[in-house]
Amino acid sequence: MNSFEDNLLELIRSHPTLYRNKDKKHKSLILKENCWKEIAKSLNKKRQNVEITPIKAVRRIGDELIVLCKVPYQIDSCRMIVGTTSYRLIPGNQEGDVVYSGQGLTTGECGAHIKNIREDWNGNVTCVLPPQSSNIEVTGTMRLLVARAPGDPHLISPPQPQFKDEDIFSAQCVVPNGRPAAKILWFLDDEQLLEGVHQPVVTDEPGSDLQTVSQNITRTIRADDNNRMLACRAEHEALDQPREAKRQLIVHYPPKRLESGPITVFGLKLGAEGKLNVTVRSNPPPTAVWMVGDIRITAPHSTDNGAITALEPLHLGNGHYNVSLHLARITKEDVERTYYLQVFNDLGREEFTLRMSTMDEPAASTVNSALLLQLYGVELDTGAIVGIVVAVLVLLIAVFLGVFAFATDRWCFAGRSHRIDMPDGADSEAPLPSHDDIKGSENPTHDHAEYITNGNSKLPEKKPDTAV
């Protein structure tokens, strides 16, 4: 019988109304209910008076543990129940498997240093202290779990040997008979999986304190999962190394292109051999068919004259294949032609359009830390580009100034037209006299007109020609 049961019996004895038939109050249900309430209140109060640390601990066999119970008053004794044995702990006595630990009885501390933990100590550890008043001892209890390694994990997954892209994959990991339950982690190669992981389910094994844990995972299969290893990993306090259960994922998918649109292969030379290359992803391996004009070539075959050869798709790893067409000698006709490629397997197909070019690839690149622009075979460095930009700006400014001067009769356009002042109220301007009216045929030196002012009006007066 433990201390809690002892306390309960002593409290019941102090309430004879509960068990004495001859007691006049024994038949009163209300009075007996009140008695039970007082007993419960007294038990809770006494149990709450003890502060115990830790409340729960997990230790391996052979490990150590310190349990500390404390009350807010001086005590004259300290007792600790570990397993089925009750130990009377005396400060200063450090011999044995369970010895005193704490600041002394006068501080209200009853602590136990439990050495070399054994399997049979799994369960409650209870400290028993004398009460501050009355004759009922107070107790505090913590839970000690002596770790026991679980069994090997089991990975339960669909029996099919391979999956398709976008398939829904479900699996379950079961780790049996651990104390406490093991922790399950999911990995795809070295990548820990968090998405699609369900909550673990822990069940108690009948007739024992061992626990089995299981956890499910759901995942949408992708092409990138092909040949990767799915693992459920069990971690536990009693294991030096995690344990794993694995299966490899085999994923089949149709050919997938790595670049969109037509493909142009640059840098080829007339008269030299050349090769058109396309990289695709496929599982199972693809079959390649080239169309060169009216000629259909299935890899690995060549034309009758051996000038063009479709090579067997070369596996580069991780489902990537290099599909190539080899030309023994590039002609002008080859450069002007469009090539068509069809790549397929049992799950689908992908088509490509290719051209070849004898020019270097027109792309911006960095050469010796300087900007290089390749435009139609002409390379322009940074200085040339800046010069072109400045020249364009100067030209634009010059055109703007010329238009401005012409519109405002400034600079070289000054004096290109004259106006005649008209009397007040005039509705329009008088035009200039014609050039022939001013210039005489016999006296070419008077090539101008003078103006005579009369009031506010100015009229031109033509001088008579004088003989030379």
Side-chain angles (χ1 to χ4, degrees):
M1 188 177 299
N2 59 35
S3 59
F4 176 80
E5 293 172 342
D6 293 338
N7 292 338
L8 177 58
L9 288 177
E10 186 169 350
L11 288 171
I12 291 175
R13 291 192 190 101
S14 65
H15 293 77
T17 303
L18 296 174
Y19 58 89
R20 287 184 180 177
N21 295 333
K22 295 181 180 181
D23 193 310
K24 296 180 180 180
K25 300 178 182 179
H26 179 70
K27 296 182 180 181
S28 175
L29 296 179
I30 295 177
L31 291 176
K32 286 194 291 186
E33 184 179 354
N34 290 336
C35 289
W36 285 117
K37 288 181 179 179
E38 291 178 5
I39 292 173
K41 183 177 180 181
S42 179
L43 285 174
N44 290 334
K45 181 178 179 181
K46 293 182 181 300
R47 290 171 66 88
Q48 290 173 359
N49 282 338
V50 180
E51 179 184 342
I52 186 168
T53 305
I55 296 297
K56 184 178 181 180
V58 179
R59 294 292 186 273
R60 286 183 171 190
I61 294 176
D63 286 352
E64 299 182 353
L65 174 65
I66 293 179
V67 179
L68 179 61
C69 296
K70 187 173 182 179
V71 291
Y73 54 87
Q74 293 186 17
I75 55 177
D76 57 10
S77 65
C78 172
R79 191 158 54 92
M80 193 75 65
I81 301 173
V82 182
T84 59
T85 305
S86 178
Y87 296 87
R88 185 168 179 263
L89 306 180
I90 301 173
N93 184 0
Q94 297 296 306
E95 295 182 1
D97 292 333
V98 181
V99 298
Y100 179 84
S101 176
Q103 300 298 318
L105 300 180
T106 57
T107 63
E109 291 188 359
C110 174
H113 181 192
I114 304 174
K115 306 176 183 178
N116 194 24
I117 291 176
R118 304 196 303 258
E119 170 78 20
D120 60 328
W121 286 353
N122 178 72
N124 290 337
V125 175
T126 302
C127 58
V128 183
L129 295 83
Q132 186 174 11
S133 61
S134 79
N135 57 352
I136 302 176
E137 292 177 317
V138 295
T139 62
T141 302
M142 62 86 60
R143 181 69 175 172
L144 170 60
L145 290 177
V146 180
R148 179 173 175 176
D152 292 333
H154 303 288
L155 181 58
I156 304 171
S157 61
Q160 61 201 72
Q162 69 269 336
F163 304 90
K164 295 181 181 179
D165 192 14
E166 303 297 331
D167 277 354
I168 303 299
F169 172 86
S170 295
Q172 184 183 58
C173 183
V174 180
V175 185
N177 301 333
R179 187 201 299 134
K183 179 182 179 181
I184 297 177
L185 300 175
W186 292 91
F187 287 86
L188 195 59
D189 288 344
D190 295 329
E191 175 191 355
Q192 183 177 354
L193 300 179
L194 300 176
E195 184 179 355
V197 176
H198 299 213
Q199 289 294 326
V201 177
V202 178
T203 57
D204 296 325
E205 291 299 318
S208 73
D209 58 356
L210 302 181
Q211 294 179 317
T212 295
V213 60
S214 62
Q215 190 175 48
N216 293 351
I217 186 172
T218 302
R219 178 177 177 83
T220 300
I221 294 293
R222 301 190 297 264
D224 292 337
D225 296 337
N226 184 46
N227 288 327
R228 300 182 74 182
M229 194 69 69
L230 177 70
C232 76
R233 178 180 299 176
E235 296 183 350
H236 194 270
E237 292 84 348
L239 294 175
D240 294 328
Q241 297 291 335
R243 296 175 180 174
E244 292 184 340
K246 301 179 179 180
R247 79 159 287 176
Q248 189 177 37
L249 299 179
I250 304 298
V251 184
H252 285 184
Y253 49 90
K256 298 176 180 289
R257 63 191 304 152
L258 304 183
E259 53 184 316
S260 60
I263 299 174
T264 301
V265 179
F266 293 92
L268 302 176
K269 296 182 179 180
L270 293 175
E273 67 176 1
K275 185 181 289 186
L276 298 177
N277 293 309
V278 176
T279 302
V280 299
R281 295 191 66 185
S282 177
N283 192 37
T287 298
V289 177
W290 292 87
M291 289 298 299
V292 183
D294 296 331
I295 303 175
R296 178 186 175 93
I297 310 173
T298 302
H301 290 90
S302 304
T303 56
D304 294 338
N305 58 6
I308 303 177
T309 303
L311 303 178
E312 181 75 19
L314 176 63
H315 190 210
L316 305 176
N318 197 27
H320 290 78
Y321 290 86
N322 187 12
V323 182
S324 301
L325 184 71
H326 180 265
L327 289 82
R329 183 176 179 272
I330 297 176
T331 64
K332 183 178 179 182
E333 181 184 7
D334 295 330
V335 176
E336 296 174 348
R337 177 185 291 134
T338 299
Y339 299 82
Y340 299 96
L341 168 64
Q342 188 178 93
V343 181
F344 59 91
N345 61 19
D346 294 339
L347 300 177
R349 66 181 61 221
E350 191 70 70
E351 296 181 350
F352 300 84
T353 301
L354 296 94
R355 297 293 301 270
M356 61 174 57
S357 173
T358 57
M359 296 177 57
D360 293 334
E361 186 172 357
S365 59
T366 302
V367 180
N368 296 329
S369 301
L371 178 65
L372 184 66
L373 181 64
Q374 299 176 354
L375 182 62
Y376 300 107
V378 179
E379 297 181 351
L380 301 177
D381 59 11
T382 305
I385 295 174
V386 173
I388 292 174
V389 173
V390 172
V392 171
L393 291 176
V394 170
L395 179 61
L396 291 175
I397 293 173
V399 171
F400 172 78
L401 292 177
V403 173
F404 177 77
F406 180 82
T408 58
D409 292 339
R410 295 175 181 269
W411 303 320
C412 58
F413 297 101
R416 68 184 179 88
S417 63
H418 299 275
R419 296 179 182 274
I420 300 175
D421 293 341
M422 300 295 294
D424 294 341
D427 294 331
S428 61
E429 295 178 343
L432 287 173
S434 65
H435 190 69
D436 294 336
D437 292 339
I438 300 174
K439 186 176 180 180
S441 59
E442 297 180 356
N443 189 2
T445 60
H446 299 284
D447 190 15
H448 65 278
E450 292 185 359
Y451 295 85
I452 301 175
T453 301
N454 183 12
N456 295 328
S457 63
K458 296 180 181 180
L459 298 175
E461 179 185 12
K462 182 166 71 171
K463 287 188 176 183
D465 294 336
T466 57
V468 177

